[in-house]
Amino acid sequence: MRYVKSFVGFFLVLLMLVIPASAAVPDRASIESASLTEYELLMSSFEQQKKDGKFSGEYPDWYAGAYIDDSGELVVLVTDYSKDTLALICSATRSSVNTLFAPRSLNELMYQQSLMMSKIMSFLRQKMNNSQKLDNKLIFMIDSFVGVGISQEDNLIFVELSNSSQANRDAFTKHISSYPGIEFREVETVDSLEDPVKAEPRERGIHYQGGYLGILADPASIGYRARYNGVNGLVTAGHCVTEVGQNIGIGIVRFKQFSGSLDVAFIELYQGETVSHMTADGIPMSGYIYDPPENASVYFRGAATGYMLNGTVASTMYSGIAFDSETHQPVSLSDMLRINYSNGTTVDGDSGGLVYIYYNNSYRAVGINHGLPAFLSGSVATKAANISGVAGITAY
């Protein structure tokens, strides 16, 4: 027996010597990095196919979504498991990615989500304006409503409520939607999470991405340095500024939108003010953006928390309701990122802060923090892709 062990041990040592280092099992980070490239290629192929008129919806009807699995691999869901569909995916991603069958297309889920938000907003306005007497059970459910997102991994719509009692679920089903692909989730929220700590600029006139913005009616953080109409500046959350033309001390507000897929403001900086390519933690940003898939690993830096948060994208298609402090009216926000953080949460003063990702050997902006509602384990962010594509504000 002792001889057998010695022989086996010798064989293992010999095996380690002859196997090249390149044969080592790749870690999750490198696997996920490759998956992010595959996802980007897939989305680019969809954009081109849509331009070529090959489908009329937002996505091909066979496409049910995509996500990063626990091992870092990209998984693509399809409603049509035919050879032609699989060939299209392999051609687009230039690799053989994992595919799974799912009964609901992403177009279908997006349509149902839109209907739900439309009804929620309609009932909320009726409630606020007292234009029509509403069922008390419906009112209780609306008061508990947080948001509605699409889980591509689970191929369903999840409805987040601060109180997911059976009564609230029944009210949602009765008045909003009885769609079979719904999952109710209870989330813990608070009205606000206060933290007076601010990350002050380390040098006069130099500001840092994810750092302290300045004196505003609402405390805010810098997102990333950006360019709008040929002018350099920065982006922050739109709900933190009052109006276009507002003087905020270090610059002037040149763009603001707080509705739809955007909660963003562009600040043109005064002469002598500049935004570093570094974050407040010393992370070098590349000036590029990335639109991540579900479950991708992301990071956050805001002025109030003052340290880096680690998280994952729980949904790339999240809709919720915020309130405009200027108009005192509800605002419907859509196509947002819902992010779960593992080592903390965003707090008051983090609005506008930087959400970023490490991809293709560089750090890239993913979005800026919207913040509300104040999740105890996560947040909502405006996509950098929408800031660029909708508002024409680009990172640099």
Side-chain angles (χ1 to χ4, degrees):
M1 183 67 71
R2 184 178 301 164
Y3 172 80
V4 173
K5 285 185 177 179
S6 299
F7 178 79
V8 172
F10 173 76
F11 179 76
L12 289 175
V13 171
L14 183 63
L15 198 61
M16 292 173 64
L17 291 174
V18 299
I19 294 178
S22 60
V25 177
D27 59 21
R28 190 192 185 285
S30 60
I31 295 173
E32 181 172 336
S33 180
S35 296
L36 295 179
T37 298
E38 293 167 351
Y39 179 75
E40 185 174 45
L41 289 170
L42 183 63
M43 294 300 104
S44 295
S45 74
F46 288 163
E47 289 180 11
Q48 187 58 52
Q49 290 175 43
K50 191 171 182 178
K51 288 179 181 178
D52 295 342
K54 293 185 178 180
F55 59 86
S56 57
E58 191 68 25
Y59 297 97
D61 286 336
W62 56 261
Y63 181 67
Y67 65 93
I68 304 293
D69 68 12
D70 291 340
S71 65
E73 297 277 2
L74 179 68
V75 179
V76 178
L77 290 89
V78 298
T79 61
D80 173 16
Y81 215 60
S82 67
K83 290 182 179 180
D84 290 342
T85 298
L86 299 182
L88 284 172
I89 296 172
C90 289
S91 175
T93 60
R94 303 172 191 171
S95 61
S96 180
V97 301
N98 299 320
T99 54
L100 290 175
F101 173 78
R104 307 177 188 96
S105 72
L106 193 54
N107 286 335
E108 176 186 334
L109 293 174
M110 292 172 65
Y111 174 71
Q112 292 295 332
Q113 180 190 37
S114 177
L115 289 179
M116 293 175 198
M117 283 301 299
S118 178
K119 290 184 179 181
I120 285 283
M121 284 296 294
S122 176
F123 283 129
L124 180 58
R125 291 192 179 99
Q126 292 177 40
K127 173 180 175 289
M128 292 183 65
N129 299 330
N130 294 316
S131 60
Q132 183 176 338
K133 184 174 177 58
L134 299 178
D135 186 322
N136 284 335
K137 292 182 179 180
L138 173 59
I139 293 175
F140 292 149
M141 186 278 295
I142 291 175
D143 289 340
S144 176
F145 179 78
V146 176
V148 55
I150 293 175
S151 171
Q152 297 180 46
E153 178 177 7
D154 297 324
N155 194 230
L156 53 76
I157 295 172
F158 62 91
V159 178
E160 294 190 317
L161 303 170
S162 60
N163 181 354
S164 62
S165 65
Q166 190 61 53
N168 280 341
R169 297 182 185 202
D170 290 344
F172 189 96
T173 302
K174 178 181 178 180
H175 297 282
I176 306 302
S177 176
S178 59
Y179 183 63
I182 291 179
E183 177 181 276
F184 292 97
R185 300 178 182 178
E186 185 166 313
V187 291
E188 192 172 4
T189 65
V190 294
D191 292 334
S192 66
L193 290 167
E194 295 184 1
D195 189 335
V197 178
K198 299 292 185 294
E200 297 287 354
R202 287 173 282 187
E203 297 178 46
R204 184 175 178 81
I206 298 179
H207 309 277
Y208 296 88
Q209 300 182 56
Y212 181 49
L213 177 56
I215 300 173
L216 291 171
D218 292 318
S221 299
I222 295 170
Y224 52 88
R225 63 182 191 176
R227 184 174 290 123
Y228 178 60
N229 287 339
V231 176
N232 292 343
L234 62 87
V235 289
T236 188
H239 73 263
C240 292
V241 305
T242 305
E243 60 188 355
V244 172
Q246 178 187 358
N247 180 347
I248 67 162
I250 64 172
I252 296 179
V253 178
R254 294 302 188 192
F255 179 93
K256 172 188 175 178
Q257 183 173 328
F258 183 29
S259 63
S261 62
L262 294 177
D263 177 15
V264 65
F266 174 81
I267 313 298
E268 177 186 348
L269 298 175
Y270 292 135
Q271 187 174 1
E273 306 287 349
T274 185
V275 179
S276 170
H277 75 289
M278 308 285 284
T279 71
D281 291 320
I283 301 294
M285 299 300 296
S286 66
Y288 294 102
I289 65 171
Y290 182 78
D291 198 12
E294 191 174 296
N295 293 348
S297 302
V298 294
Y299 309 94
F300 172 75
R301 182 51 161 87
T305 51
Y307 63 93
M308 183 176 71
L309 297 180
N310 305 310
T312 55
V313 178
S315 176
T316 63
M317 298 177 175
Y318 190 82
S319 297
I321 296 172
F323 285 87
D324 192 324
S325 60
E326 301 299 321
T327 64
H328 305 289
Q329 291 296 313
V331 174
S332 177
L333 295 173
S334 60
D335 198 28
M336 308 285 277
L337 295 173
R338 173 71 166 88
I339 303 169
N340 289 328
Y341 294 111
S342 61
N343 62 330
T345 190
T346 61
V347 297
D348 286 355
D350 280 333
S351 293
L354 174 66
V355 182
Y356 62 102
I357 195 169
Y358 187 72
Y359 167 60
N360 202 16
N361 297 317
S362 63
Y363 291 97
R364 305 183 178 210
V366 162
I368 59 174
N369 188 49
H370 164 65
L372 296 176
F375 295 100
L376 293 185
S377 62
S379 192
V380 175
T382 298
K383 295 179 181 179
N386 286 338
I387 294 174
S388 174
V390 178
I393 302 171
T394 57
Y396 77 94

